[in-house]
Amino acid sequence: MDTAKIASQFLEKRSPAEPEVSSPSLNSQIEHRIALVSGPVWAIQKGKRVLEIGCGQGDCTIVLADAVTGSGEGWVDGVDPGSPDYGAPFTLSQAQSHILSGRYGGNIAFHNLTPEAYLAKYHGPVYDYTVLSHSIWYFENPSVINTVVASLEGKSHTLCIAEWSLRASSKEAEPHVLAALILASVESKRKEASSGNIRTVLSPKGIQSVVERDGKWKLVKEEVRQSTVGLLDAFWEVDYAIKTREKKLGGLRADGVSEKELAALVAMYDSLESAVCLLPEGVKSVRCMDVWVARFEAV
């Protein structure tokens, strides 16, 4: 797969001096997705039909389309319930429209629906693969993944999952693990639902347990690998957790969360800040935690 070719189809602000050159962060994101899609665990092949759940602005969708298209064959349905006007500097609607007007537009369709709603009304050919690439932690609660998996029965042969592993193989990745657990803990204590990036944290064992619960899917291959250098997810989450610390704690206190629970959260925040202080450039030195990649087959 050609990173530059794929990145050229993604909407982003480019330098007037070098409009054909993609940003390093986008290239890292594309390289990360390529490693998932073409790696030994997923090994997605040409000419296949793919359902992507939680497609967002479409960076993984483009990589999937590149993997499956050939001689006009191959198809990707991207499903995401996010508001069309969500996102910056470009919205979901703008990013997806740009993709549909480009090289892979004839092999992609986007659907602004919850995965449950989409699968309830889908009666087309069985998908060769269903992909959840870093989308599970966005779910409102753990029951959503169980509902989605149950809804896939008879509609997909293979389930491909990639999610953060909660394992840090370097000290630069430790703050990312801590930030994820903190943000998930805050979410679990809130009285009202939010639209945060991390709402449900499940470990690889937790995800496997949910997927295999009803005996309809079986894990056939998995690996935990270091994340691609240059991904910014860790920086975003760690920086956000630190900057919103007092606001989050104040909100929980106002919601009546006990002092004992708040004390535990304060200790977690302190641990995060201490881990960041050990890095040479602080938050700028943070690296994404390792990634769990799995492949389940329908039983």
Side-chain angles (χ1 to χ4, degrees), residues 72-254:
E73 299 177 346
W75 183 260
V76 181
D77 279 308
V79 177
D80 198 293
S83 173
D85 61 1
Y86 173 80
F90 303 105
T91 65
L92 260 66
S93 177
Q94 289 172 326
Q96 293 177 0
S97 294
H98 182 79
I99 290 172
L100 294 176
S101 68
R103 180 194 301 267
Y104 305 105
N107 299 84
I108 295 173
F110 289 110
H111 309 271
N112 186 220
L113 293 166
T114 65
E116 304 97 308
Y118 176 79
L119 288 167
K121 73 171 190 174
Y122 181 76
H123 301 290
V126 176
Y127 287 105
D128 298 291
Y129 309 95
T130 295
V131 169
L132 288 92
S133 179
H134 295 289
S135 59
I136 291 175
W137 285 11
Y138 283 86
F139 291 161
E140 186 63 36
N141 56 65
S143 66
V144 175
I145 179 64
N146 187 52
T147 302
V148 169
V149 170
S151 300
L152 284 170
E153 184 178 354
K155 297 183 179 181
S156 182
H157 296 301
T158 303
L159 178 59
C160 300
I161 296 177
E163 197 49 87
W164 302 115
S165 68
L166 296 177
R167 187 189 82 173
S169 56
S170 69
K171 69 176 184 179
E172 290 80 10
E174 290 175 3
H176 191 200
V177 176
L178 290 168
L181 294 174
I182 288 170
L183 294 173
S185 295
V186 170
E187 286 293 319
S188 70
K189 294 172 172 56
R190 287 171 57 97
K191 287 186 176 180
E192 298 180 356
S194 79
S195 58
N197 289 353
I198 298 179
R199 283 172 263 176
T200 295
V201 166
L202 289 172
S203 67
K205 285 186 177 180
I207 296 172
Q208 180 182 351
S209 176
V210 172
V211 173
E212 295 184 332
R213 181 177 299 165
D214 296 329
K216 304 296 185 180
W217 296 90
K218 181 176 179 58
L219 179 68
V220 294
K221 201 164 189 177
E222 67 176 329
E223 68 172 356
V224 178
R225 54 185 296 274
Q226 281 194 316
S227 57
T228 304
V229 175
L231 290 177
L232 295 178
D233 301 65
F235 171 80
W236 293 328
E237 303 300 350
V238 172
D239 188 59
Y240 176 77
I242 292 174
K243 287 181 176 178
T244 62
R245 169 178 173 155
E246 296 309 316
K247 180 180 179 181
K248 296 289 187 183
L249 290 173
L252 293 178
R253 186 171 288 108

